[in-house]
Amino acid sequence: MAPAKRRNVISAKTSEQSGKRAKIDVNTKVENVLESRKNANDVFDILEFLESEKPKDVVNAVNACSKLFCTLLEKKELFVGKLPGEEEEEALSGGLSAEEKYRMFMRHRYNSCVEMLLEHLNHELHDVKESALCCLMKFAAGEGHHPLQDLDWSEHYSFPRELIQAVVDRLLTKTDNSLLISRFFEFLEMGDVRYYVMSSIRENVAKVMDKNKGALVPVYQNNVFTLMSNICMPSQESELTNFMIKQEVKHEDWKVAKLNEHKRAFERMWLGFLKYKLPSSMYKKILVILHVSILPNLSKPTLMIDFLTAAYEVGGAISLLALNGLFVLIHQHNLDYPDFYKKLYNLLEPSVFHVKYRARFFHLANLFLSSSHLPVYLVAAFAKRLARLALTAPPTALLIVLPFIYNLIRRHPSCRVLIHKPSTQDEPVEDPYLMDEEDPAQCRALESSLWEIKTLQKHYHPDVAKAAGSINTPLSGQEEDINKVLEITTYELMERDLKKAQIKTVPLEFETATQLLKGGGCVLGQHFCLD
């Protein structure tokens, strides 16, 4: 073995042996402290390991502190109540018993440990952060069963709110904590943890925003969104059975055991975040999940009206995504939006065929235009605008648009005038439709015709030409199901065409080229030969 390689092996073994000795040493000190109060000063050595530069030593020290202080909590050997400062404690030492001095001493060490663990939540290595997080949550459970503060039985009982708030504050920093937050999701399954985490997030956002004068740092925003968007709310109060700390006394009066209180906390958390200005990327993330994960869990979903209407006015993809939430508010909560269809009409632009939310948009637009009580001019305006946009749309979009237009005509027979428009042979007719008019009532769609579909009958793609040809025959009474083609992609369309094609072997006579631009008698080969 080469000398350098041998030195590396020896160094690795030495490091491993050193780590084992450190683990044995710190565990021995924990046993000594728990065995006799005479060894209380060994706790300083244990805390010293928490500040080690070696990650393994830190993880071992975290595990040791978890065992030590959880045991002390169970034995009720930590001071309970408002802890005096160590200088103040020395002044009072004459009137304190040895028992009180010991408990105050250990409580100070416990507080130091908690502060160091909170700092480790921002450690460079994930293993250290994860160990610190799990230890802090064990301390939270321990404090819940054996409170260190005077209890507030009127509302919060014995839950360690301050410790949970401190943990949330460290998770929501200006560094990417998405991996650590995903580890924290395990604890959010417990009802009491989830409730106080929601309150802590709201307080943290308000504090950070006031400090930064309303300007949110993108990384901080992502941390907040990651944590909030993964809070799974119970649908029924009977599901609130899993708690980190079971409150035996007056459990039925505890706010955390009530679904309405959870919904209020959830609502205040989201509204507290959404009231600040957000970048378009964050708007999109929120709007994608809004109708599924947020609106159903609010105690008053109508409070989101201002946010959704503002998002709907932004334009582009954000407006498309806002449709989902508006659909819920309009159909389930009787939202009155006078200019809704006018705005929907103006969302029909060439870009709508290319955004990744295209399927969602046409699905919702189909629902909004399904009512038979809509005025004829409005339906005609949508059909005409889609037909005009179809002239430059890709084949995958045309396979959605054409059935969409046909369904509009089926629902509103008065729009058949767009198909059977009388005209004078051999005389050029100018289309009266005003494409640039934003008001569908003024675009003169009923005076026009769907000549664009006739043009698409000569489209290069056979499926599109076939679909456009359907307008030559009387439309059936049954609507076409556009959901089958909403998600179709260009790749899937090509794959389908290739399977249909019958590949035949055709004999060809040619001279195989051996070099670029060089072949038998080719002019390019003679004048631009690369030899």
Side-chain angles (χ1 to χ4, degrees):
M1 184 182 295
K5 190 173 182 180
R6 189 184 297 112
R7 282 196 300 271
N8 290 338
V9 172
I10 294 172
S11 177
K13 288 183 177 179
T14 303
S15 177
E16 183 178 354
Q17 291 171 356
S18 176
K20 288 181 179 179
R21 284 197 301 269
K23 183 176 181 179
I24 294 172
D25 190 25
V26 73
N27 288 334
T28 301
K29 290 186 179 295
V30 170
E31 295 297 334
N32 292 340
V33 173
L34 295 176
E35 181 180 342
S36 174
R37 293 185 176 183
K38 294 179 180 179
N39 302 319
N41 285 330
D42 284 354
V43 72
F44 288 109
D45 297 331
I46 299 171
L47 295 178
E48 188 177 350
F49 277 104
L50 277 178
E51 298 179 314
S52 174
E53 296 180 357
K54 299 178 181 178
K56 287 186 178 180
D57 289 351
V58 176
V59 172
N60 291 335
V62 170
N63 295 332
C65 288
S66 175
K67 179 180 178 181
L68 172 62
F69 292 110
C70 284
T71 303
L72 293 176
L73 280 166
E74 289 177 9
K75 291 183 176 181
K76 299 183 178 180
E77 294 187 359
L78 297 180
F79 179 81
V80 177
K82 185 178 180 181
L83 182 66
E86 293 191 88
E87 294 181 359
E88 185 181 352
E89 184 182 333
E90 290 180 5
L92 298 172
S93 60
L96 298 175
S97 65
E99 178 73 16
E100 289 175 323
K101 290 180 181 179
Y102 175 79
R103 291 186 179 186
M104 286 184 178
F105 172 80
M106 280 302 180
R107 175 71 182 281
H108 280 296
R109 305 292 79 75
Y110 171 75
N111 290 350
S112 298
C113 178
V114 169
E115 287 298 324
M116 294 166 74
L117 291 173
L118 289 170
E119 291 296 325
H120 281 323
L121 291 182
N122 296 322
H123 198 276
E124 296 177 354
L125 295 179
H126 178 70
D127 290 344
V128 175
K129 293 195 285 189
E130 185 177 0
S131 298
L133 177 64
C134 294
C135 183
L136 286 167
M137 294 308 293
K138 286 181 180 178
F139 287 169
E143 285 191 33
H145 292 104
H146 309 283
L148 297 178
Q149 302 292 341
D150 295 329
L151 299 182
D152 180 6
W153 293 105
S154 62
E155 180 178 355
H156 301 292
Y157 294 75
S158 61
F159 194 87
R161 291 169 292 150
E162 294 182 1
L163 182 54
I164 293 298
Q165 179 73 60
V167 171
V168 170
D169 289 345
R170 291 307 194 284
L171 291 176
L172 303 181
T173 60
K174 297 178 182 179
T175 56
D176 185 9
N177 278 336
S178 55
L179 190 59
L180 186 61
I181 291 173
S182 65
R183 179 66 178 84
F184 188 64
F185 294 158
E186 171 191 333
F187 304 103
L188 294 177
E189 295 177 3
M190 295 177 280
D192 47 357
V193 175
R194 179 174 57 245
Y195 178 84
Y196 286 105
V197 163
M198 290 189 292
S199 300
S200 299
I201 293 172
R202 178 171 58 87
E203 292 182 17
N204 179 273
V205 170
K207 180 174 61 179
V208 172
M209 291 304 298
D210 290 341
K211 184 178 179 180
N212 291 275
K213 298 181 180 179
L216 283 174
V217 179
V219 178
Y220 171 79
Q221 283 181 336
N222 288 328
N223 286 335
V224 174
F225 176 78
T226 301
L227 184 53
M228 292 197 305
S229 61
N230 285 278
I231 293 177
C232 298
M233 291 284 288
S235 57
Q236 298 178 354
E237 195 161 305
S238 58
E239 297 176 15
L240 289 170
T241 56
N242 182 20
F243 297 99
M244 183 173 74
I245 302 158
K246 187 71 174 179
Q247 306 291 348
E248 301 295 342
V249 182
K250 298 182 180 180
H251 178 77
E252 65 277 4
D253 297 329
W254 195 27
K255 279 188 174 183
V256 178
K258 300 184 182 299
L259 180 59
N260 286 338
E261 294 297 334
H262 277 259
K263 286 193 170 186
R264 287 194 186 97
F266 185 83
E267 182 177 272
R268 289 194 294 265
M269 174 187 71
W270 274 105
L271 292 177
F273 181 65
L274 296 179
K275 72 179 182 180
Y276 297 107
K277 186 178 180 180
L278 302 172
S280 59
S281 59
M282 185 56 63
Y283 260 120
K284 292 176 183 177
K285 289 180 180 180
I286 294 169
L287 291 170
V288 164
I289 66 169
L290 184 73
H291 65 292
V292 177
S293 304
I294 301 177
L295 284 179
N297 296 315
L298 298 180
S299 59
K300 294 181 180 179
T302 51
L303 292 174
M304 296 296 291
I305 289 176
D306 291 340
F307 172 76
L308 283 169
T309 51
Y312 195 45
E313 295 293 333
V314 171
I318 291 178
S319 292
L320 298 184
L321 292 172
L323 282 173
N324 268 119
L326 285 172
F327 175 76
V328 173
L329 294 181
I330 289 173
H331 284 263
Q332 298 180 16
H333 302 281
N334 301 318
L335 169 65
D336 184 19
Y337 196 129
D339 294 329
F340 176 78
Y341 284 99
K342 180 180 177 181
K343 182 65 179 177
L344 183 64
Y345 177 77
N346 285 284
L347 287 179
L348 294 175
E349 298 177 345
S351 60
V352 79
F353 299 126
H354 303 281
V355 294
K356 64 179 180 179
Y357 312 111
R358 181 184 68 188
R360 177 182 298 196
F361 171 76
F362 278 101
H363 171 72
L364 290 170
N366 188 48
L367 290 175
F368 283 126
L369 295 170
S370 62
S371 174
S372 58
H373 299 291
L374 293 175
V376 177
Y377 77 83
L378 182 65
V379 179
F382 275 91
K384 179 62 180 178
R385 190 173 183 90
L386 284 170
R388 182 64 61 84
L389 292 173
L391 294 175
T392 56
T396 52
L398 290 173
L399 295 178
I400 301 173
V401 170
L402 292 173
F404 192 99
I405 295 174
Y406 297 157
N407 285 345
L408 290 178
I409 297 174
R410 288 187 178 99
R411 294 170 196 160
H412 304 271
S414 300
C415 290
R416 291 180 185 272
V417 67
L418 295 174
I419 303 175
H420 306 292
K421 177 73 66 176
S423 61
T424 305
Q425 288 286 344
D426 302 326
E427 289 187 12
V429 179
E430 184 178 352
D431 193 342
Y433 173 68
L434 303 175
M435 183 69 176
D436 295 331
E437 174 59 52
E438 295 183 355
D439 188 351
Q442 305 295 328
C443 68
R444 301 173 63 186
L446 282 172
E447 302 175 29
S448 182
S449 65
L450 298 179
W451 59 264
E452 295 90 349
I453 296 181
K454 189 76 174 177
T455 303
L456 290 174
Q457 292 176 4
K458 298 180 180 181
H459 196 275
Y460 70 87
H461 198 284
D463 289 351
V464 174
K466 181 180 178 181
S470 300
I471 204 169
N472 294 334
T473 58
L475 295 176
S476 62
Q478 186 176 2
E479 292 188 14
E480 296 182 53
D481 185 9
I482 65 170
N483 291 324
K484 297 179 181 179
V485 292
L486 286 179
E487 300 287 352
I488 194 168
T489 63
T490 303
Y491 176 79
E492 292 171 342
L493 204 59
M494 292 180 65
E495 284 291 307
R496 192 173 69 182
D497 292 342
L498 287 173
K499 290 179 181 178
K500 289 181 181 178
Q502 295 181 356
I503 302 175
K504 297 180 180 180
T505 303
V506 181
L508 298 173
E509 183 178 354
F510 64 94
E511 181 179 349
T512 305
T514 57
Q515 294 182 7
L516 182 65
L517 301 179
K518 184 176 182 181
C522 176
V523 176
L524 289 176
Q526 295 176 11
H527 295 279
F528 300 98
C529 180
L530 301 181
D531 286 345

